[in-house]
Amino acid sequence: MSYEMSLKAMIEHQIVARGVRDPRVLEALSRVPRHLFVPPSLRSQAYEDYPLSIGYGQTISQPYIVALMTEALDVQKDHKVLEIGTGSGYQAAILSLLASMVFTIERIEPLWKQAKENLKDYPHVVCLLGDGYQGWRDEAPFDRILLTAAPPHLPRSLLEQVKIGGKIVAPVGVGYQRLIRYTRTGEKHWQEEYLCDVIFVPMVPSPEYTKDSR
Ligand code: SAH
């Protein structure tokens, strides 16, 4: 089966069938060949309904979860988006087709390098090797922030780097997590909505990066 057919089947059976309907999200998913973001030995499973290992104990999320989170983030064409947890770069590629610019942070150097390679055909993504707990001060504020690694609590720095009116979607908690959407309603006010339960890798504090130039 060609990858186009597998991709089409993935979108229909895993994503539309479970209720993701935003045409912009479906269109973005249909334009990114997911097999190019997974290790070569796992390419034949790239369109299956589960997360896959990308090395270093990390995973590329299940396609449905990528779709669900992307839809929940409600990204618009003129948005500046921050992603924490670049991993393979797949989620960043999807976001970059919906936004004006995506800034993404990864803490594991070989994954950061591989993601930059995977994303070479996506001009609207910038990858940083750094600690997501600090966000990206030089580029803040952002219209949208997406976390694909789970902190025990949403870090203050990230709450403060989203614009008023902006949204953050994040898995929050230890073990299994609650997927939460935060909307910043004022200088010191954020509204929280519970979306569903999820399982993500933990967001690991990485103080070794505190000296970088952000
Ligand atoms: N969005 C990815 C999946 C990410 S898996 C994709 O589409 O493939 C979560 C990633 O978050 C892992 O690569 C992990 O190394 C990274 N991560 C964990 N803690 C982090 C931190 N403090 N800062 C930046 N990245 C972090």
Side-chain angles (χ1 to χ4, degrees):
M1 189 152 70
S2 69
Y3 96 79
E4 285 93 345
M5 285 173 72
S6 309
L7 175 55
K8 200 157 173 268
M10 174 192 97
I11 294 172
E12 269 173 35
H13 303 311
Q14 301 171 31
I15 292 169
V16 176
R18 293 194 183 111
V20 174
R21 298 289 155 80
D22 184 336
R24 293 168 311 141
V25 173
L26 302 176
E27 157 80 14
L29 287 163
S30 75
R31 287 172 54 200
V32 180
R34 188 172 152 93
H35 62 283
L36 300 181
F37 289 82
V38 308
S41 62
L42 296 175
R43 286 218 168 131
S44 63
Q45 296 173 64
Y47 298 95
E48 299 295 330
D49 197 10
Y50 41 77
L52 292 171
S53 168
I54 53 172
Y56 308 90
Q58 308 304 323
T59 54
I60 175 172
S61 308
Q62 179 191 11
Y64 168 62
I65 294 293
V66 173
L68 177 76
M69 289 176 76
T70 306
E71 184 174 61
L73 200 61
D74 184 28
V75 179
Q76 305 295 324
K77 221 35 209 154
D78 60 341
H79 279 173
K80 188 172 178 179
V81 179
L82 174 66
E83 182 199 22
I84 308 300
T86 315
S88 68
Y90 177 70
Q91 173 77 73
I94 301 282
L95 291 171
S96 80
L97 299 180
L98 297 165
S100 87
M101 206 63 207
V102 176
F103 297 84
T104 180
I105 307 178
E106 173 56 53
R107 64 176 283 270
I108 298 178
E109 187 163 7
L111 291 178
W112 167 70
K113 283 207 177 117
Q114 181 66 52
K116 284 201 296 183
E117 175 63 24
N118 294 348
L119 288 163
K120 63 180 186 316
D121 296 333
Y122 298 82
H124 301 286
V125 183
V126 188
C127 300
L128 178 76
L129 178 65
D131 181 11
Y133 277 93
Q134 299 165 52
W136 196 322
R137 289 194 190 89
D138 287 354
E139 291 295 344
F142 298 95
D143 298 284
R144 298 288 188 266
I145 300 179
L146 182 65
L147 279 69
T148 63
H153 306 283
L154 202 75
R156 194 78 205 168
S157 53
L158 297 180
L159 286 168
E160 285 174 353
Q161 287 183 24
V162 77
K163 289 181 190 171
I164 294 172
K167 295 180 205 293
I168 303 175
V169 171
V172 179
V174 177
Y176 81 93
Q177 302 98 27
R178 293 158 57 85
L179 190 65
I180 310 276
R181 177 166 54 199
Y182 300 81
T183 303
R184 189 171 192 178
T185 53
E187 193 56 49
K188 299 236 170 328
H189 298 278
W190 292 264
Q191 222 169 49
E192 272 185 47
E193 288 163 85
Y194 163 79
L195 302 177
C196 59
D197 288 349
V198 285
I199 300 179
F200 274 82
V201 297
M203 187 166 152
V204 180
S206 309
E208 64 272 26
Y209 295 115
T210 46
K211 286 194 216 71
D212 65 31
S213 62
R214 287 168 302 137

